[in-house]
Amino acid sequence: AVVSTQSTGGKKLFIGLPGLATDVQTFANELKFHTNLYNLSENRELSPKTFLSMVSNFLYQRRFGPYFIEPVIAGLDPKTDEPFIASTDLIGCPMITNDFVVAGTCLEQLYGMCETLYKPDMQPEELFECISQSLLNAQDRDAYSGWGGVVYVIEPNKITKRELKARQD
């Protein structure tokens, strides 16, 4: 699975696209076009809920010949800085939650690790450690998963990006 994390229409809004590499590229290009169009026509930042609706609608339009991707959306609301995380399935059914969402080839392992390590109201460093340990331990238990990951911690005043290296055997 290819995971593409790109900055979208908002400064504090990201999307991860695990799935088939060609579908990831096609969908990312289409999404970039429509987010730019939104920014030009509305003249304001895209909120995470609006972005989720946009992603969901694009996927649902192709439900009979779907893109093989499972988007994960994370960001902060541009007005209130409230955290927002959500995911969709390949036909666009959204799942909004307050704790965590997972997607990709090591889905089951990630659920187990996140349920074990996650607790509400963590500080940025604690959250980074939780995400990193969950990701690395889940990848160690799945032969199809990648060789590391990139963790973004989104805060109201900054975005921290750190790369993780995992086993490569």
Side-chain angles (χ1 to χ4, degrees), residues 4 10 17 25-26 35 39 46 48 51 66 74 78 83-84 86 88 102 123 125 133 142 146 150-151 164-165 167 169:
S4 171
L17 297 171
Q25 291 172 342
T26 304
T35 54
N39 289 338
L46 193 58
F51 186 62
F84 180 86
T88 72
V102 297
Q123 296 301 312
E125 278 303 313
Q133 289 302 317
D142 184 44
V150 180
V151 177
L164 305 175
K165 299 228 187 259
R167 291 178 22 188
D169 56 347

Side-chain angles (χ1 to χ4, degrees), residues 45-59:
E45 276 190 47
L46 193 58
S47 76
K49 289 181 183 174
T50 305
F51 186 62
L52 174 64
S53 295
M54 182 186 291
V55 169
S56 183
N57 287 335
F58 288 156
L59 291 172

